[in-house]
Amino acid sequence: MANARIIQEKQQIVEEITAKLRESATTVLTDYRGLNVAQVTELRRKLREAGIEFRVLKNTLIRRATANAELTELDSVLTGPTAVAFGKDDAVAPVKILSQFAKENEALKIKGGVVEGRVVGFDEIKALADLPSREGLLSMLLSVLQAPVRNFALAVKAVADKKEAEA
């Protein structure tokens, strides 16, 4: 009955992948052929520090999970060795880390992924990687919100200085 046990283990893995595809803010599929052990270890370390899970999975298991999660558009990129990064909290972190690593190590290729439940291709992942971080975006928003108040304060000060100079 070893076959039944193996089938059950594979079904468990498919259920686990399905759950992660549904729960993750961002899932990125990569081709890691050509990376040596040291490079893969470095990549895993960077991803782990950001709270991102990185697993090498069989394409057949991923296909079954994408069918369960209704994300079959991903099946077109499931060729060759596939490693998957699951980012739960931050939608941009896995994309930024993998894109930066791919720039430094040409062997890593980003195939595609899922961002907040929507299947995206390489171009959209690259565009997402080029966005500023959440903190950077909040800083930009704060600057925009402060500008009118700052300009008003400068205008009032200029009027006060002019009246003071006239007196």
Side-chain angles (χ1 to χ4, degrees):
M1 279 304 190
N3 273 346
R5 186 176 53 82
I6 291 171
I7 290 171
Q8 185 179 9
E9 286 175 6
K10 287 184 178 182
Q11 286 173 339
Q12 242 177 348
I13 292 170
V14 168
E15 289 172 13
E16 187 180 319
I17 296 168
T18 302
K20 288 182 182 184
L21 283 170
R22 288 181 178 150
E23 294 169 2
S24 297
T26 302
T27 303
V28 182
L29 282 70
T30 62
D31 183 344
Y32 60 92
R33 271 185 289 204
L35 291 178
N36 62 36
V37 174
Q39 291 169 322
V40 172
T41 303
E42 175 69 15
L43 177 59
R44 285 182 186 270
R45 184 188 61 75
K46 287 179 179 181
L47 291 168
R48 194 177 322 111
E49 286 173 358
I52 300 159
E53 183 180 352
F54 188 70
R55 290 179 63 180
V56 174
L57 298 166
K58 291 186 177 227
N59 289 333
T60 54
L61 298 177
I62 300 171
R63 273 191 195 93
R64 290 178 188 222
T66 58
N68 291 347
E70 298 175 3
L71 297 168
T72 53
E73 297 92 4
L74 274 180
D75 293 353
S76 62
V77 297
L78 293 174
T79 56
T82 303
V84 184
F86 298 102
K88 258 189 168 177
D89 302 323
D90 189 354
V92 180
V95 174
K96 282 194 172 295
I97 293 169
L98 288 168
S99 292
Q100 182 62 37
F101 195 84
K103 285 179 188 173
E104 297 165 3
N105 303 280
E106 292 180 12
L108 183 72
K109 304 280 188 265
I110 296 174
K111 296 179 176 184
V114 180
V115 177
E116 302 201 349
R118 195 172 66 83
V119 176
V120 295
F122 171 75
D123 295 333
E124 291 177 75
I125 287 177
K126 186 171 178 355
L128 188 60
D130 294 338
L131 284 176
S133 67
R134 182 177 189 272
E135 290 77 21
L137 288 171
L138 289 174
S139 173
M140 290 172 160
L141 176 65
L142 188 59
S143 294
V144 169
L145 293 175
Q146 284 181 335
V149 175
R150 184 177 46 244
N151 291 342
F152 178 73
L154 290 173
V156 169
K157 185 177 182 321
V159 169
D161 289 346
K162 182 178 177 189
K163 290 209 180 214
E164 194 173 294
E166 291 174 355

